[in-house]
Amino acid sequence: MKIRTVLIIGSGIAGPVLAHFLHRKNIQVTIVERAPQLRSYGQTIDLRGAGREVARRMGIDAEVRSRITREAGLAFVDGAGHAKASFTADSFGGQGLVCDTEILRGELVDLLYEHSRRDAEYLFGDHPLTVTDLGDQVRVVFASGAERSFDLVIGADGIRSRTRRLVCPDTPAIHYLDMYTAYFTIPYQPGDGKWARWYNAGRGRTLLLRPDNQGTTRAFLSFRSSRRGHEELSRAEQQALLHEVFADAGFDTARVLRDMAQSPDFYFEAIGQVKLPQWSNGRVALVGDAAYCASPISGMGTSLALVGAYILAGELGSQQGHRQAFQRYQALMRPYVRNAQRIAPGALRFASPHSRAGVRLSNAVLGVLARPAVSGLIGKLNKPKADAIALPDYPAKA
Ligand SMILES: Cc1cc2nc3c(=O)[nH]c(=O)nc-3n(C[C@H](O)[C@H](O)[C@H](O)COP(=O)(O)OP(=O)(O)OC[C@H]3O[C@@H](n4cnc5c(N)ncnc54)[C@H](O)[C@@H]3O)c2cc1C
């Protein structure tokens, strides 16, 4: 049966990209977003490899380039703020810890919405209460009271997806990495300069400060903890916890903790990866973080969302029937996702060491890697994870 109508749940990154490419195939798209308006906030995210190629095929590459944050690079600093190792943005061939296309999530969300709002019917401030796969269509009852039917429903509703229950009801999907992170925006100070600065305070605590292209500074605090559930606390409780954990951390943490209370966009999460045996069930499927969140540690979440949405739309648009399309989507994406989610043994301990000796060792190793001869060689030998897929070409019309 020809696919005519699709409901996409979630208007973050994956949702609008999927809408855009489905529209190109003459499929009628509705996007429902729970928030009353676009959630155009969040911190600096990386757009890499095939993800950038999807942005190019969508026609937004030039606009993405015009909005990059233009950080000079990333410096690992000690408690006095002295750089122990510095990597320019083009280190490792532009595919290092900071890549050559860093953009604020909010700017990318705005851009994707602008480029898809005429391609889809957007419903803000609503969400599905029930989604029932009737075999030949999917019946959706919305919180607003509306009831509608669609040929397919796609969950692009992020790491805490509710749609996922319909696809894999019995699988514990999120694999936590025993690490929490908080992102928020604080006032810029001249000392913040043009470099991102990474400070390891020991006991698995890290502060990252990133000057942006809007005259503010983006702060990230992260800490390792095997205790579950901090993400369920209220904002006030999460901020109190951060004060407790970072009380004696040194460097710029006192200022960051002070400014955190006034921050307009405080966001706290338990870092995890989503791993599922299947990404579809009947007429319902998943895309982006809902299906295969790789975690901010991977630097691949946005690229996976773009590439996954592009391939899913391309396969659905080729009108081979949704079952085959979902199977091909999974077969094409699975190796790319597996590779993106791979975390080298000991990598988290290296990035956020516990002991003082661990911090010193980590800085010393980074100092060696930062030498131009070494980073240049690694850049040449390294095969970036973001490039590890050959994007199929999908003709514009079905
Ligand atoms: C507010 C916010 C800030 C973020 N900040 C960062 C950051 O600073 N750094 C980083 O690396 N990653 C961040 N992320 C995650 C990042 O966007 C994703 O890892 C990645 O880009 C994949 O995007 P996605 O579209 O799959 O999911 P997301 O970008 O998470 O989008 C999911 C969307 O679905 C909506 N939604 C959820 N449930 C429902 C429902 N039941 N009905 C309707 N809509 C629903 C959400 O409101 C959201 O708009 C953030 C996500 C959000 C939502």
Side-chain angles (χ1 to χ4, degrees):
M1 195 182 84
K2 196 165 160 57
I3 300 158
R4 290 197 174 82
T5 56
V6 171
L7 173 70
I8 299 171
I9 304 172
S11 175
I13 306 286
V17 177
L18 180 61
H20 173 85
F21 286 109
L22 285 176
H23 173 77
R24 281 197 189 178
K25 298 285 186 173
N26 292 337
I27 295 173
Q28 220 177 304
V29 183
T30 301
I31 298 192
V32 62
E33 166 59 49
R34 192 173 46 185
Q37 67 257 329
L38 211 54
R39 297 177 79 190
S40 45
Y41 44 88
Q43 310 297 323
T44 320
I45 52 178
D46 312 347
L47 195 51
R48 296 173 186 254
R52 271 198 60 192
E53 174 57 19
V54 171
R56 197 188 65 74
R57 293 185 189 189
M58 205 173 160
I60 60 168
D61 199 34
E63 281 167 270
V64 167
R65 296 261 358 130
S66 74
R67 296 186 193 205
I68 59 173
T69 55
R70 301 191 191 285
E71 281 170 331
L74 172 67
F76 288 81
V77 300
D78 63 14
H82 297 137
K84 295 298 192 185
S86 304
F87 300 89
T88 54
D90 56 6
S91 297
F92 306 112
Q95 294 300 322
L97 289 166
V98 168
C99 76
D100 54 8
T101 311
E102 300 273 342
I103 181 169
L104 291 174
R105 179 184 179 276
E107 295 222 56
L108 184 60
V109 166
D110 279 345
L111 202 53
L112 294 174
Y113 172 67
E114 276 309 313
H115 277 261
S116 63
R117 71 192 172 94
R118 277 176 293 277
D119 302 341
E121 171 196 23
Y122 270 88
L123 308 172
F124 284 100
D126 205 355
H127 62 272
L129 284 183
T130 60
V131 176
T132 312
D133 187 341
L134 301 172
D136 57 346
Q137 58 178 347
V138 191
R139 190 85 189 134
V140 181
V141 179
F142 292 87
S144 60
E147 283 192 35
R148 292 173 63 176
S149 293
F150 300 89
D151 291 336
L152 302 174
V153 169
I154 313 291
D157 45 350
I159 184 168
R160 306 210 173 267
S161 165
R162 282 169 178 257
T163 319
R164 200 160 52 216
R165 286 188 216 149
L166 299 165
V167 173
C168 289
D170 306 317
T171 313
I174 304 180
H175 297 248
Y176 290 102
L177 299 175
D178 291 346
M179 187 179 256
Y180 290 90
T181 186
Y183 326 112
F184 46 95
T185 306
I186 58 172
Y188 177 85
Q189 286 191 355
D192 291 342
K194 287 182 181 300
W195 283 75
R197 288 174 302 157
W198 179 304
Y199 169 60
N200 278 325
R203 305 214 300 271
R205 299 168 301 172
T206 296
L207 165 64
L208 176 60
L209 288 175
R210 306 187 73 169
D212 64 23
N213 56 346
Q214 301 184 347
T216 48
T217 294
R218 309 287 167 145
F220 297 69
L221 290 171
S222 67
F223 63 97
R224 291 167 53 202
S225 165
S226 53
R227 263 186 77 175
R228 292 262 38 84
H230 294 318
E231 73 281 11
E232 312 288 348
L233 299 174
S234 69
R235 170 188 281 221
E237 287 168 331
Q238 287 166 350
Q239 294 196 354
L241 177 68
L242 289 168
H243 273 279
E244 197 182 303
V245 171
F246 282 89
D248 58 350
F251 179 49
D252 251 359
T253 41
R255 161 203 165 202
V256 169
L257 292 170
R258 184 195 65 215
D259 291 345
M260 176 172 71
Q262 272 78 48
S263 169
D265 55 357
F266 179 82
Y267 185 78
F268 184 101
E269 68 172 2
I271 294 187
Q273 297 188 323
V274 173
K275 296 185 178 178
L276 297 174
Q278 65 197 52
W279 300 334
S280 65
N281 185 12
R283 289 182 170 271
V284 181
L286 303 170
V287 68
D289 274 9
Y292 32 76
C293 175
S295 88
I297 289 164
S298 72
M300 283 287 294
T302 308
S303 300
L304 287 181
L306 265 85
V307 173
Y310 170 82
I311 290 181
L312 179 55
E315 293 302 325
L316 287 172
S318 59
Q319 296 295 353
Q320 55 200 310
H322 67 278
R323 268 188 207 89
Q324 287 89 326
F326 289 157
Q327 270 169 18
R328 277 192 48 84
Y329 157 60
Q330 183 156 325
L332 286 165
M333 275 300 283
R334 189 63 98 179
Y336 190 52
V337 168
R338 203 175 290 128
N339 197 25
Q341 290 187 328
R342 200 166 288 140
I343 297 174
L348 293 183
R349 235 175 307 133
F350 179 77
S352 300
H354 257 286
S355 64
R356 279 173 191 279
V359 173
R360 278 197 298 274
L361 177 68
S362 171
N363 285 340
V365 173
L366 289 163
V368 174
L369 293 177
R371 287 183 196 150
V374 180
S375 64
L377 184 65
I378 295 174
K380 279 196 193 112
L381 297 177
N382 188 26
K383 290 206 175 70
K385 286 180 177 184
D387 290 328
I389 189 166
L391 283 180
D393 284 322
Y394 297 109
K397 288 252 161 72

